[in-house]
Amino acid sequence: SIVEVAKSAVTATISLCSSALKKLEENNFYPKQLCGKLEVAANFCFEGVYKEEIPWGNGHINDTYRVTFENEQGVKKHYILQQMNKSIFKNPVELMENIVGVTEFLKRKISANGGNPERETLNVIPAKDGKPYYVDSEGEYWRAYVFIENTVSYDLIDNPEILYEGGLAFGRFQSMLADYPAKTLHETIPGFHDTRERFERFKKAVEEDVCGRADLVREEIQFVLDREEIVSTDGDSPRHAYNVAAL
C-alpha cells in the first residue's frame, strides 16, 4: 500500500540519525539542553553539524527557516525547517500523513518518467524517532524538507512566459496525481475545498452586502456567478488530492 511504501522510505533514512546525533554530541550540541529551533534542529535526521538558521520566504501561515548543516568534509547542506500553524491545521499528524503519501507517490511517478525526484517533489526529512514531524518541548509541531538549491519562488509575476511555465508545471503535477487514491487522504481543514458551500456563501454575502460595496464590483461578481455550473465537489479528482495534501 501507499502507506507501507511511505513508511519504508522513511525507515531507509533513519540510519542517518545515529551518526548525525553523535556528531551533534561531539560538538557539545545536546538536544536535551536546547529549546526552540535549536531543539528542533537537533531532533531531525539532518546530516552533519548545525551551523545556522535564517527566516525563509514570505509565507503568512507557517513559520519557515532555512537551516544549514556541515559535514566532516566541510560541505554545507541546507534544509527547510517549518513550524506548522496549529491554529489553522488542527491535526498536524494527519496533515503529514497526507504529505508523505502524496510525495512518495510522486517520487515513483517522477522516477518512472526519468525525472529527478530530489528536485521535482518535496523530500520529507524524518525526525530521529522516524516520524515525519517533531513535537517540541512546548507542544509545537515541526516538519523538515530537503532544501532545493538554485531555485526561485515568485510572489508576484508579471512575465507571461513565467506564468506559462508555471501552468505547464501545475498541469504535469495534476497529471501525475490523476490516479492517486484521493479517498485515502485526510481532510486537513473541513470544508476548505467544498466549492459548492463556498459559492453559496459568496452569493449570500453579495445579497446581504453588509459593507455596501457590492456595486463597486458588479462586473467581477457577475463573472463569478456566470460560472456557477463549473462548481464541483468531486472528492476523487486529482485536484482534490493536490488541494488536501498541499496544505
Side-chain angles (χ1 to χ4, degrees):
S1 70
I2 291 175
V3 173
E4 291 174 339
V5 172
K7 287 182 178 178
S8 297
V10 171
T11 301
T13 64
I14 297 302
S15 59
L16 295 173
C17 289
S18 296
S19 60
L21 289 174
K22 183 178 180 181
K23 290 185 177 67
L24 291 172
E25 293 174 355
E26 290 172 351
N27 285 270
N28 296 317
F29 194 74
Y30 297 96
K32 63 183 179 181
Q33 296 178 352
L34 302 174
C35 61
K37 293 184 288 296
L38 294 182
E39 172 201 349
V40 175
N43 281 280
F44 275 101
C45 291
F46 297 140
E47 299 178 50
V49 176
Y50 173 87
K51 288 299 179 180
E52 67 172 1
E53 55 86 8
I54 59 174
W56 196 259
N58 299 313
H60 60 277
I61 296 178
N62 303 304
D63 293 330
T64 307
Y65 306 89
R66 191 192 71 176
V67 295
T68 303
F69 278 69
E70 185 177 307
N71 64 19
E72 294 177 340
Q73 290 72 42
V75 177
K76 293 182 179 179
K77 187 168 184 178
H78 299 127
Y79 302 91
I80 285 295
L81 188 63
Q82 191 172 68
Q83 180 181 344
M84 292 176 270
N85 189 334
K86 290 192 301 182
S87 66
I88 302 297
F89 304 108
K90 307 296 185 182
N91 194 325
V93 175
E94 291 186 351
L95 172 64
M96 291 311 299
E97 287 179 359
N98 284 354
I99 290 177
V100 170
V102 169
T103 54
E104 291 302 321
F105 183 87
L106 289 173
K107 285 179 186 178
R108 296 196 298 276
K109 286 290 188 75
I110 292 167
S111 296
N113 293 331
N116 182 358
E118 294 297 314
R119 293 188 61 82
E120 295 178 41
T121 187
L122 292 174
N123 285 268
V124 178
I125 302 293
K128 67 178 183 179
D129 61 3
K131 296 177 181 178
Y133 59 88
Y134 173 71
V135 184
D136 67 19
S137 56
E138 297 182 352
E140 297 297 332
Y141 284 74
W142 296 77
R143 60 189 175 195
Y145 303 110
V146 173
F147 181 80
I148 304 176
E149 304 284 354
N150 302 313
T151 58
V152 178
S153 176
Y154 297 92
D155 293 327
L156 180 64
I157 299 175
D158 57 7
N159 185 327
E161 292 183 7
I162 296 176
L163 285 170
Y164 176 76
E165 292 298 329
L168 284 180
F170 186 76
R172 288 193 295 269
F173 184 62
Q174 293 285 62
S175 177
M176 286 189 289
L177 287 175
D179 57 343
Y180 187 86
K183 290 186 180 298
T184 65
L185 293 167
H186 304 290
E187 188 173 14
T188 52
I189 302 179
F192 189 83
H193 296 291
D194 186 341
T195 49
R196 169 53 61 187
E197 174 63 21
R198 284 181 174 268
F199 198 87
E200 294 303 320
R201 290 182 182 179
F202 170 77
K203 292 194 294 184
K204 185 172 185 291
V206 171
E207 180 181 351
E208 295 178 351
D209 190 19
V210 294
C211 294
R213 298 181 297 192
D215 286 339
L216 301 176
V217 288
R218 285 297 173 188
E219 184 177 346
E220 289 80 3
I221 290 173
Q222 193 58 48
F223 178 88
V224 175
L225 294 176
D226 289 344
R227 287 157 179 77
E228 182 171 5
E229 64 180 22
I230 67 174
V231 173
S232 171
T233 56
D234 183 4
D236 291 324
S237 70
R239 177 174 177 79
H240 180 76
Y242 163 72
N243 285 338
V244 176
L247 293 173

